[in-house]
Amino acid sequence: MMKHILLIFTCTILLINTISAQPNQKAAKKEFNEAVDYIVEKNYDQAIYNLNQALNTFPKFEEAYLERGKIYIKQRNTDAAKNDLNKAIKYSDGNKKGEAYFYRGYLNFEKENIEQAIEDFSMAVQSGYKNSEVYYFRGLAYHKNRDYSNSIMNFTMAIDTKYDFFHAYHDRGTSKLMQGDYQGAIKDYETALKHREKSAFTYNNLGQAYMKMSDFQKAIENFTLAIKEDPNYVEAYLNRGNAKNNLEKYEEALSDYRKAKEINSSSLKALNNIGIVFLKQSEFEKAIDTFNKVIEKDNKLGEAYLNRGLAWENLGKFDKACKDWKMANELEVDKASEYLKDCE
């Protein structure tokens, strides 16, 4: 008999709590709807105020935690955002839970917690949140881990969900480039450009893919298009200079390297490449002077020692050449050990 009385008493309390919770939820929903309007207007401080009111009224309001967490992400308040997303995950189910996992995954990705990010993105998908963004960011996370097969698979799923997803095509191309699938990379970069005609970094990467295939003229054409879109694109000037260098167009290569140095006076790549051109032109004194400047700015740049050693060798100063090659070898530069054999 006591058990039945206890059961009835418990149910009665639950019923009373449910009845009293309904007006609280209604009031919380009103505050939430006002917050959404402020979010649309980008009045985030007022939106946070209304969301706070909603959560004070109804502390298990998962959508309020989710929206406030998203605002905190915009405001770079990472700890507050993560705390809200954790609560959104705790109190919600289905698609909203998946969305909370996605945004927490994004935070982990930004913090370089790549494995945790992948896990969160996967939980988002399992919870029914299967939009293009979650596949795209999971692809980025796998790419960051150098797991290019999985990054390509996820970028493909992002494209399947959103056929005109420019970044997914571009980044799938980059994963293919890293895998050595140069033709596949070229195809993806070209498809990306169909969805966004003007993209300096896509033209630059397309040029790099052609460089890998030793099609230096096509590479130059694409680096030139990158520079047309962004006249201050240092990397594109350096890459175009490298392509011209491979075609033995040394003066044109020098012009590109000098332009890169003009835009970014601290670019050691540009200065080192200028030295390489002088080396190829048999201007050994100029090459040495240039490599000296590189080493003065960064005495750990092994390639500069290797190249200066080659210049010394051509001037018949073998002791100095061997000293530089030894230093390059200590800095783990490829081929330095091969040159050192001549010093024995």
Side-chain angles (χ1 to χ4, degrees):
M1 185 66 177
M2 182 61 74
K3 290 182 181 178
H4 290 126
I5 293 170
L6 205 60
L7 183 61
I8 292 167
F9 182 66
T10 306
C11 288
T12 304
I13 291 173
L14 287 173
L15 182 61
I16 291 168
N17 285 343
T18 303
I19 292 167
S20 63
Q22 286 175 352
N24 287 353
Q25 289 184 31
K26 188 174 180 180
K29 189 68 175 176
K30 182 176 179 294
E31 294 286 354
F32 176 81
N33 289 337
E34 289 181 15
V36 169
D37 290 337
Y38 284 121
I39 290 169
V40 171
E41 296 171 7
K42 297 184 179 180
N43 186 347
Y44 299 125
D45 289 340
Q46 185 60 51
I48 287 174
Y49 173 82
N50 285 95
L51 291 169
N52 289 344
Q53 293 294 102
L55 288 165
N56 287 338
T57 306
F58 182 44
K60 293 185 178 182
F61 196 169
E62 72 278 5
E63 286 184 85
Y65 285 117
L66 176 59
E67 292 305 319
R68 192 172 68 177
K70 286 157 69 173
I71 293 172
Y72 285 141
I73 290 173
K74 289 179 184 290
Q75 295 179 334
R76 300 285 181 182
N77 190 345
T78 304
D79 291 338
K82 201 162 192 177
N83 184 54
D84 273 357
L85 294 172
N86 287 340
K87 288 180 179 177
I89 290 167
K90 179 180 178 180
Y91 294 128
S92 63
D93 53 23
N95 198 51
K96 289 299 176 184
K97 176 174 278 208
E99 189 175 356
Y101 272 120
F102 166 70
Y103 281 102
R104 194 176 72 177
Y106 171 79
L107 287 177
N108 279 315
F109 180 81
E110 289 287 291
K111 287 282 189 179
E112 301 284 334
N113 299 326
I114 302 304
E115 292 296 338
Q116 186 60 57
I118 291 170
E119 185 177 330
D120 278 341
F121 294 140
S122 297
M123 287 301 297
V125 172
Q126 287 179 33
S127 300
Y129 193 71
K130 299 180 179 180
N131 73 358
S132 57
E133 294 290 330
V134 70
Y135 293 123
Y136 173 70
F137 274 98
R138 191 165 65 176
L140 286 180
Y142 279 121
H143 183 93
K144 195 89 172 175
N145 264 2
R146 300 183 181 180
D147 185 348
Y148 302 122
S149 295
N150 270 316
S151 67
I152 289 167
M153 181 179 70
N154 276 273
F155 292 138
T156 300
M157 286 191 284
I159 291 164
D160 288 342
T161 309
K162 184 182 178 184
Y163 82 96
D164 59 347
F165 199 160
F166 164 81
H167 288 289
Y169 282 111
H170 178 277
D171 293 338
R172 188 174 71 176
T174 302
S175 287
K176 289 179 179 179
L177 186 66
M178 298 302 291
Q179 261 195 340
D181 179 8
Y182 306 132
Q183 288 284 10
I186 288 168
K187 184 178 179 181
D188 272 345
Y189 290 139
E190 288 177 342
T191 305
L193 287 165
K194 289 177 182 177
H195 297 296
R196 183 184 294 181
E197 292 181 5
K198 297 181 179 181
S199 172
F201 65 91
T202 306
Y203 283 123
N204 183 63
N205 283 13
L206 186 53
Q208 288 181 319
Y210 279 117
M211 283 282 284
K212 291 289 187 180
M213 296 182 69
S214 298
D215 190 341
F216 302 120
Q217 193 55 51
K218 286 288 285 185
I220 289 168
E221 289 172 15
N222 281 281
F223 295 137
T224 301
L225 288 168
I227 291 164
K228 183 180 178 182
E229 295 302 323
D230 182 0
N232 293 316
Y233 198 168
V234 170
E235 187 180 347
Y237 282 108
L238 289 172
N239 288 333
R240 190 172 69 175
N242 291 342
K244 290 175 178 178
N245 201 344
N246 277 285
L247 291 174
E248 298 183 359
K249 296 180 177 181
Y250 298 129
E251 289 303 319
E252 291 183 27
L254 274 177
S255 177
D256 277 341
Y257 295 145
R258 284 169 174 156
K259 183 64 178 179
K261 188 80 170 59
E262 178 187 319
I263 297 167
N264 180 8
S265 59
S266 63
S267 174
L268 292 184
K269 281 186 180 180
L271 193 58
N272 187 65
N273 288 0
I274 288 169
I276 290 171
V277 173
F278 286 142
L279 193 58
K280 288 187 174 183
Q281 290 179 317
S282 299
E283 296 273 4
F284 303 121
E285 295 288 356
K286 284 185 178 180
I288 288 167
D289 182 57
T290 305
F291 294 131
N292 285 344
K293 291 175 183 176
V294 175
I295 292 166
E296 282 172 15
K297 293 183 178 181
D298 184 358
N299 62 7
K300 300 296 182 183
L301 193 61
E303 189 180 347
Y305 289 103
L306 181 74
N307 291 327
R308 190 174 68 178
L310 292 172
W312 287 125
E313 180 190 34
N314 278 280
L315 290 174
K317 298 183 178 181
F318 299 109
D319 288 345
K320 288 186 175 183
C322 288
K323 185 179 178 181
D324 273 348
W325 292 334
K326 183 180 179 182
M327 189 63 185
N329 190 56
E330 288 175 5
L331 292 169
E332 300 180 349
V333 177
D334 290 342
K335 297 184 179 179
S337 59
E338 293 291 321
Y339 290 109
L340 273 176
K341 290 176 182 178
D342 295 331
C343 299
E344 295 173 357

